[in-house]
Amino acid sequence: MNRIYLDYAATTPVDKSVLKAMLPYFSQKFGNPMSIHSFGYEGEAAVEKSRKITADFLHCLPDEVIFTSGATESNNLAIKGFSKKYHFSQPGKKHFIPHIITTAFEHHCVLNSVKFLEESGQAEVTYLPVYKDGIVRVEDVKNAIRDNTRFISIMYVNNEIGTVQPIEKIGKLIKDINKIQSRLGGTEFKILFHTDATQAINYFNCDVQKLGVDLLSLSGHKFYGPKGIGALYVKKGSFIKRIQDGGDQEFGMRAGTHNVPGIVGLAEALAGIKTQSRGFGTKIKIMTSLRDYLISRVLKEIPEVKLNGSKKFRSPNNANFSLANVEGESLILSLNREGIACSTGSACSTGSLEPSHVLLALGLPPEEAHGSLRVSLGKDTTRKEIEVFIEKLKKVVKKLRNISGNVLKEYK
Ligand code: PMP
């Protein structure tokens, strides 16, 4: 059976050019970048070249790029690294608990990191609403800021519903507040702004100067790079401390032997976004019209379906629906039997029967949050694939609704 992959928000295949760039670093050029011999120098040169490419992509300095194992680690390092620095910098002194602002629909690696700080008494946390359209309001961020606010973490693009947050506007707001605060009381009052840009890298401008962020997380496998590699942009002078003890790699911010092939692959994938006009060129236009075609046909041809999240402020690759009287997991398994790969909720929570926290944050009742379908397109997705998908979806939904209708009748 011909399989159709429509789960590119979960992960993407490694590009041919990326694989080619990585291969020598598994065997021929295997040196540890920390070693002071020619094998080590080869590894070090590759890491530093990759750091420069990553920095150019983000429009920052090379030593503001910390390579990690992925966005999960980057987000943990940003949030817990801030808290560690904050509490360590005032040992023995009576100091106030910092206040963190985030949103209710962040990825679990952000949500659970701030929850950990909250539950262990290291931070007070405000979880901002995201409304029916899945967009955080700049005004809400402004109103939530208190005297002790020191950290704000808001994702760029939501991984389940693909909605795009006004990061640049929030960045400007925080910059203005920091300016006023620093006039009043010095740098101690600075609020750090972090964004999880994992789902944005492929499609949106991630120039950290333009966005006005102090910290930005990304993960290689979401943009045709390898898995197990990521990065955290840390603006010079940011108030964070390492959270993993060990060697002095990554400017002392992230201990552990470098994943050289991964780092090379990540940089090559980032370079590909620009050179193949995948990120800002015609492919995005094609993808957007394909997505809109998919959305309009599903809404028109399948009864009792809703699109979740704003249609306008949405990633070009994402469509997320709620289907009445269909259970999400059954839908994914039935589509899989038809050769179609999609997801319900986020891939990380597949296997759990909890309703999606993202859809609950949008105000959906739990039964609707259970019946969701995320379809995410890739750079090579074709119209033919979308057409096959729609026909299979119609067939599967009809079948599942018949079964659940019959079960309900038997119980009446
Ligand atoms: N943040 C977002 C928005 C994501 O989509 C993901 C991946 N699902 C992550 C963080 C975690 O990335 P990784 O699993 O590569 O560490």
Side-chain angles (χ1 to χ4, degrees):
M1 188 188 341
N2 259 348
R3 295 188 301 166
I4 298 178
Y5 186 79
L6 291 170
D7 201 14
Y8 289 91
T11 198
T12 58
V14 170
D15 250 359
K16 277 200 189 84
S17 67
V18 171
L19 181 62
K20 189 166 169 234
M22 290 171 73
L23 280 175
Y25 295 93
F26 285 104
S27 47
Q28 289 145 265
K29 302 182 180 182
F30 63 90
N32 183 333
M34 298 296 272
S35 303
I36 47 171
H37 47 60
S38 64
F39 292 84
Y41 298 154
E42 267 173 357
E44 190 193 13
V47 169
E48 293 319 314
K49 187 176 165 207
S50 304
R51 199 186 304 285
K52 171 86 174 62
I53 295 170
T54 308
D56 287 348
F57 184 90
L58 297 173
H59 193 196
C60 65
L61 299 168
D63 56 1
E64 292 178 316
V65 173
I66 310 292
F67 289 117
T68 64
S69 63
T72 299
E73 187 188 331
S74 298
N75 289 338
N76 271 269
L77 176 57
I79 295 162
K80 293 175 184 163
F82 150 73
S83 177
K84 193 170 173 190
K85 175 87 175 176
Y86 184 86
H87 291 288
F88 263 66
S89 66
Q90 315 183 53
K93 266 201 258 168
K94 193 168 161 34
H95 57 276
F96 58 76
I97 300 297
H99 173 236
I100 295 177
I101 299 171
T102 190
T103 74
F105 76 163
E106 298 292 315
H107 190 274
H108 278 121
C109 57
V110 167
L111 270 187
N112 291 346
S113 291
V114 296
K115 272 193 189 135
F116 165 75
L117 297 181
E118 187 178 28
E119 284 164 9
S120 57
Q122 296 179 62
E124 296 166 359
V125 182
T126 298
Y127 302 91
L128 294 177
V130 290
Y131 304 94
K132 205 165 170 285
D133 59 3
I135 314 271
V136 73
R137 304 293 189 263
V138 182
E139 203 53 27
D140 285 351
V141 179
K142 190 175 171 191
N143 293 336
I145 293 176
R146 308 177 189 160
D147 285 349
N148 62 334
T149 303
R150 290 291 176 274
F151 197 94
I152 299 181
S153 181
I154 295 176
M155 73 197 319
Y156 200 159
V157 172
N158 182 273
N159 45 305
E160 276 186 49
I161 55 170
T163 52
V164 187
Q165 308 307 310
I167 298 301
E168 196 178 331
K169 288 190 181 140
I170 298 169
K172 170 138 187 7
L173 166 79
I174 296 171
K175 211 176 211 171
D176 290 347
I177 289 174
N178 278 338
K179 241 187 233 161
I180 299 167
Q181 295 281 39
S182 74
R183 264 188 247 129
L184 296 177
T187 49
E188 204 191 313
F189 286 91
K190 191 169 158 47
I191 301 170
L192 285 181
F193 183 28
H194 167 244
T195 189
D196 174 0
T198 307
Q199 297 284 346
I201 296 288
N202 261 327
Y203 311 110
F204 297 96
N205 193 333
C206 288
D207 177 328
V208 292
Q209 315 301 331
K210 192 164 183 290
L211 294 177
V213 294
D214 300 289
L215 300 150
L216 178 145
S217 306
L218 55 91
S219 215
H221 69 107
K222 303 289 184 179
F223 46 88
Y224 304 90
K227 296 171 181 57
I229 189 71
L232 177 67
Y233 156 70
V234 183
K235 188 175 177 173
K236 254 195 180 34
S238 292
F239 207 62
I240 76 161
K241 203 176 170 71
R242 65 193 282 164
I243 56 169
Q244 188 164 298
D245 293 314
D248 277 333
Q249 290 90 349
E250 296 302 285
F251 317 106
M253 286 296 291
R254 196 271 181 179
T257 302
H258 292 98
N259 170 0
V260 182
I263 290 170
V264 169
L266 179 136
E268 182 69 25
L270 283 178
I273 292 176
K274 285 199 170 159
T275 57
Q276 296 165 16
S277 4
R278 187 167 76 219
F280 307 105
T282 46
K283 281 206 169 167
I284 288 207
K285 281 200 194 119
I286 297 170
M287 188 184 278
T288 309
S289 64
L290 215 49
R291 178 204 66 185
D292 290 345
Y293 171 73
L294 160 75
I295 291 174
S296 69
R297 276 201 61 191
V298 168
L299 294 182
K300 212 183 299 162
E301 295 174 32
I302 301 182
E304 294 188 85
V305 180
K306 275 198 309 208
L307 178 74
N308 292 315
S310 163
K311 181 154 181 249
K312 188 170 169 206
F313 300 105
R314 183 177 207 102
S315 178
N317 77 330
N318 177 293
N320 185 303
F321 304 100
S322 275
L323 296 107
N325 304 319
V326 178
E327 204 274 307
E329 296 231 319
S330 317
L331 180 59
I332 300 309
L333 295 175
S334 304
L335 283 170
N336 184 48
R337 278 195 286 274
E338 299 285 334
I340 310 273
C342 305
S343 71
T344 178
S346 68
C348 315
S349 55
T350 302
S352 104
L353 283 175
E354 290 294 303
S356 146
H357 73 288
V358 173
L359 299 182
L360 291 180
L362 260 57
L364 263 66
E367 55 292 0
E368 280 185 35
H370 266 303
S372 78
L373 170 69
R374 179 184 72 179
V375 189
S376 48
L377 316 190
K379 65 186 170 77
D380 298 318
T381 300
T382 61
R383 190 176 168 110
K384 177 86 194 123
E385 285 179 317
I386 296 299
E387 273 161 6
V388 173
F389 162 75
I390 292 166
E391 292 313 318
K392 302 261 186 195
L393 180 68
K394 279 161 57 177
K395 176 178 149 189
V396 160
V397 168
K398 201 170 174 187
K399 198 169 129 200
L400 289 174
R401 281 181 173 161
N402 270 341
I403 295 170
S404 69
N406 288 338
V407 170
L408 284 178
K409 259 186 237 154
E410 276 176 30
Y411 277 92
K412 269 186 185 163

